[in-house]
């Protein structure tokens, strides 16, 4: 039996996420170097002001983080290292964390919601899966207990993403006085695919999120899929529409680009230096097709490269007149399937350059080292932005490039990106599996008249910035009466 847990922290607003706003590097001399992060949650928390008594609960992700937790004796980190934010970092057992994060969150839940399984061979839900699931439960329980300790009476708690799907229900049992929200940053799988999961696990995940007063998603499509899964797995009438009767409100908050930050940051000197270097790599007078992604399986980078090769075959007039600037930053390289995918991206790019390149023209300029300033430089130079994910909760790159582009760019956008819901009208929309169709969209984009391109880009930028990170976060608080 679970008993209510008394508060020791008194925070009025709490955020919970796997990754926090600060990370630590343990140096050889034993000192810790703190590096502050960015993103929508950081912007959102800053929007509520320093007097809001807000606390961020996150996990220690590496040895530096774990040492920082030890030095803070398990309490809040020094505010001077976190940009002034109150942060409670959890030193969850390393093996438990690895099972929960890589074994379940990234190798099961991510694959289900992005529909990435090769079903003749996977998934296999065996005894090892059950062992890892117990770690996922323990990881969520650690967050729920920390939140219960930190929250003041009646506080607002916003729990983020698929790593913490069980935490709302666990926290509700510990602290029934709290107003709890859960936000999903991924797509949500339709019932037929979601039910690949064992029945009890599917029910536990849905019930976990339904422990929240407000369950929110990036698009109406993903929200509807969640509700459909609840009906299919838990039964008709769940979730109940009326939270006062124990139901959960379902919301949609479409995270937008932070225009002010992006425009300011993209005109700083280091970005100008990267632009000059990229122009030299591209060559004078050539058009650019730009993509910026992690080498995440769902981003569909390989098919994007194949579509570009098809463009060069079907429209030879573009040879030596266009360059595909592809930034593919390695992701989750501790998982073999991601290492293999990153190697395949490199192989296909090399193959295109070997087949079509000339002494004065490199068809694909591929960079695999993460460099935010260089990404912004590419945004500014883009004539065409290629965003063709197999499936994506939103895809902020699709929103950021039109905001930053100097001359206005054409967006070639997958209909399976969450951003399609807001940007589809002014983008060239593609089926991400259709290489020929994507190649034709690229050809149309390259040939689009300048005035049409500029007008489309202007409308895309307006739609992309409709709900910037601070407003997005405040909407979530507002939905909880915060």
């Amino acid at each position: 039996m679970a008993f209510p847990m008394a508060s020791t922290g008194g925070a009025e607003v709490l955020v919970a996420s796997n990754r926090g706003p600060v990370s630590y590097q343990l140096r050889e001399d034993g000192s810790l170097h703190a590096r502050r992060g960015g993103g929508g949650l950081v912007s959102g928390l800053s929007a509520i002001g320093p007097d809001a008594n807000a606390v961020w609960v996150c996990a220690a992700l590496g040895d530096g983080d774990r040492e920082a937790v030890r030095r803070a004796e398990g309490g809040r980190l020094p505010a001077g290292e976190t940009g002034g934010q109150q942060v409670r970092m959890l030193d969850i057992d390393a093996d438990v964390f690895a099972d929960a994060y890589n074994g379940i969150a990234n190798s099961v839940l991510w694959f289900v919601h992005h529909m990435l399984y090769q079903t003749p061979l996977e998934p296999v839900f065996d005894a090892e899966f059950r062992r890892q699931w117990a770690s996922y439960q323990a990881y969520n329980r650690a967050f729920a207990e920390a939140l219960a300790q930190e929250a003041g009476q009646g506080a607002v708690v916003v729990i983020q993403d698929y790593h913490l799907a069980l935490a709302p229900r666990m926290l509700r049992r510990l602290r029934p006085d709290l107003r709890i929200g859960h936000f999903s940053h991924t797509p949500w799988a339709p019932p037929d695919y979601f039910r690949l999961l064992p029945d009890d696990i599917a029910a536990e995940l849905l019930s976990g999120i339904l422990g929240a007063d407000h369950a929110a998603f990036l698009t109406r499509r993903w929200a509807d899929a969640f509700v459909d899964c609840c009906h299919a797995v838990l039964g008709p009438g769940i979730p109940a529409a009326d939270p006062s009767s124990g139901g959960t409100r379902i919301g949609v908050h479409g995270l937008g680009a932070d225009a002010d930050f992006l425009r300011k940051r993209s005109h700083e000197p280091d970005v100008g230096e990267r632009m000059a270097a990229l122009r030299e790599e591209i060559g004078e007078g050539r058009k650019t097709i730009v993509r910026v992604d992690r080498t995440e399986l769902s981003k569909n980078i390989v098919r994007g490269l194949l579509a570009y090769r098809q463009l060069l075959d079907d429209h030879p007039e573009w040879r030596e007149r266009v360059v595909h600037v592809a930034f593919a930053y390695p992701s989750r390289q501790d998982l073999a399937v991601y290492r293999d995918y990153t190697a395949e991206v490199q192989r296909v790019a090399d193959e295109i350059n070997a087949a079509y390149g000339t002494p004065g023209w490199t068809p694909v300029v591929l960079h695999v080292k993460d460099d935010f300033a260089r990404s912004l430089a590419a945004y500014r130079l883009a004539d065409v932005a290629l965003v063709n994910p197999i499936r994506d909760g939103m895809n902020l790159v699709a929103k950021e490039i039109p905001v930053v582009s100097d001359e206005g760019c054409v967006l070639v956008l997958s209909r399976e990106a969450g951003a399609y819901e807001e940007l589809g009208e002014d983008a060239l929309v593609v089926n991400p599996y259709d290489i020929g169709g994507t190649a034709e969209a690229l050809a149309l984009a390259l040939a689009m008249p300048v005035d049409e391109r500029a007008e489309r880009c202007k409308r895309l930028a307006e739609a992309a910035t409709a709900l910037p990170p601070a407003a997005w976060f405040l909407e979530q608080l507002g939905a909880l009466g915060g």
Side-chain angles (χ1 to χ4, degrees):
M1 177 180 290
F3 296 95
M5 181 178 289
S7 167
T8 58
E12 298 168 15
V13 177
L14 298 97
V15 169
S17 64
N18 177 67
R19 183 179 300 276
V22 62
S23 61
Y24 290 87
Q25 179 187 3
L26 184 60
R27 290 173 166 165
E28 289 184 8
D29 64 0
S31 65
L32 283 174
H33 172 65
R35 184 167 61 187
R36 292 197 293 273
L41 284 174
V42 172
S43 299
L45 261 185
S46 65
I48 64 176
D51 302 324
N53 193 10
V55 172
W56 193 321
V57 178
C58 60
L61 303 185
D63 291 340
D65 288 357
R66 295 179 192 284
E67 180 60 25
V69 175
R70 283 192 283 273
R71 294 184 188 183
E73 297 181 344
R76 297 179 189 177
L77 300 173
E81 298 172 358
T82 64
Q85 291 172 331
Q86 297 296 315
V87 179
R88 168 95 177 267
M89 191 176 273
L90 308 180
D91 184 5
I92 297 166
D93 177 85
D95 290 336
V96 170
F97 178 84
D99 284 342
Y101 181 71
N102 278 332
I104 298 297
N106 288 343
S107 295
V108 176
L109 302 184
W110 182 272
F111 273 63
V112 168
H113 288 315
H114 290 83
M115 299 168 63
L116 292 174
Y117 280 124
Q118 298 182 61
T119 52
L121 298 173
E122 56 186 9
V124 176
F125 296 126
D126 54 9
E128 173 65 6
F129 164 78
R130 292 287 173 171
R131 187 190 67 76
Q132 292 182 330
W133 183 254
S135 293
Y136 182 77
Q137 292 170 318
Y139 165 91
N140 274 258
R141 194 174 302 113
F143 270 86
E145 290 172 354
L147 289 165
Q149 291 165 2
E150 294 287 345
Q153 186 70 22
V156 173
V157 184
V158 185
I159 298 171
Q160 303 292 313
D161 225 0
Y162 61 103
H163 312 92
L164 294 169
L166 305 184
R169 177 70 62 191
M170 292 174 171
L171 180 58
R172 172 71 63 213
R173 288 171 178 154
L174 294 171
R175 291 289 304 277
D177 60 296
L178 300 179
R179 291 169 289 166
I180 303 169
H182 185 276
F183 193 92
S184 293
H185 292 260
T186 64
W188 196 274
D192 284 352
Y193 206 91
F194 187 73
R195 297 188 81 173
L196 289 176
L197 292 165
D199 292 352
D200 61 316
I201 302 296
E204 189 176 350
L205 284 164
L206 295 169
S207 298
I209 291 175
L210 292 177
D213 299 289
H214 184 71
F217 301 84
L218 286 163
T219 72
R220 174 54 54 191
R221 179 182 177 186
W222 311 140
D224 288 346
F226 173 78
V227 171
D228 290 345
C229 286
C230 289
H231 293 167
V233 174
L234 301 177
I238 301 175
D242 180 9
S244 66
S245 65
T248 301
R249 291 186 301 273
I250 305 299
V252 175
H253 310 294
L255 175 62
D258 188 340
D260 293 340
F261 164 75
L262 288 168
R263 286 172 179 147
K264 181 176 182 295
R265 180 68 183 88
S266 65
H267 285 85
E268 290 181 4
D270 59 340
V271 176
E273 292 166 10
R274 306 297 198 284
M275 285 180 73
L278 278 173
R279 282 194 179 104
E280 192 168 327
E281 279 190 279
I282 293 162
E284 191 67 35
R286 291 186 175 123
K287 291 203 171 185
T288 57
I289 298 171
V290 168
R291 85 170 304 134
V292 177
D293 277 313
R294 293 173 295 112
T295 51
E296 160 56 52
L297 306 181
S298 63
K299 298 299 183 183
N300 209 23
I301 301 170
V302 170
R303 287 193 189 90
L305 288 165
L306 296 176
Y308 177 64
R309 181 168 69 184
Q310 190 74 48
L311 168 76
L312 298 178
D313 278 341
D314 294 348
H315 297 273
E317 68 274 15
W318 283 109
R319 294 183 191 179
E320 302 203 56
R321 293 177 54 214
V322 65
V323 171
H324 187 13
V325 179
F327 296 164
Y329 301 141
S331 173
R332 300 177 183 168
Q333 295 298 289
D334 44 353
L335 298 177
V337 66
Y338 281 83
R339 293 195 298 274
D340 292 346
Y341 188 73
T342 302
E344 181 66 5
V345 168
Q346 184 72 61
R347 187 193 70 76
V348 175
D350 290 345
E351 191 177 83
I352 292 170
N353 285 337
Y356 299 92
T358 65
W361 173 55
T362 304
V364 180
V365 171
L366 176 68
H367 286 282
V368 295
K369 186 175 186 297
D370 197 347
D371 184 334
F372 184 56
R374 188 176 56 211
S375 297
L376 290 174
Y379 285 5
R380 287 183 59 188
L381 290 171
D383 294 297
V384 178
L386 176 58
V387 181
N388 69 319
I390 292 170
R391 196 168 164 84
D392 220 331
M394 177 55 73
N395 197 297
L396 280 179
V397 170
K399 293 187 166 185
E400 291 170 351
I401 297 183
V403 171
V404 173
S405 172
D406 281 357
E407 303 294 331
C409 70
V410 183
L411 176 62
V412 175
L413 179 65
S414 166
R415 67 191 185 196
E416 297 302 318
Y420 164 72
E421 198 163 288
E422 296 164 85
L423 307 183
E425 192 172 329
D426 288 298
L428 298 182
V429 178
V430 297
N431 170 348
Y433 299 95
D434 183 355
I435 302 302
T438 304
E440 282 309 302
L442 292 173
L444 280 172
L446 289 167
M448 186 175 290
V450 173
D451 55 347
E452 182 184 353
R453 187 175 85 172
E455 187 58 37
R456 281 179 182 250
C457 191
K458 180 183 175 184
R459 292 195 298 265
L460 286 168
E462 289 172 358
T465 55
L467 194 66
W472 166 79
F473 184 76
L474 291 174
E475 270 202 2
Q476 292 180 63
L477 294 185
L480 290 164

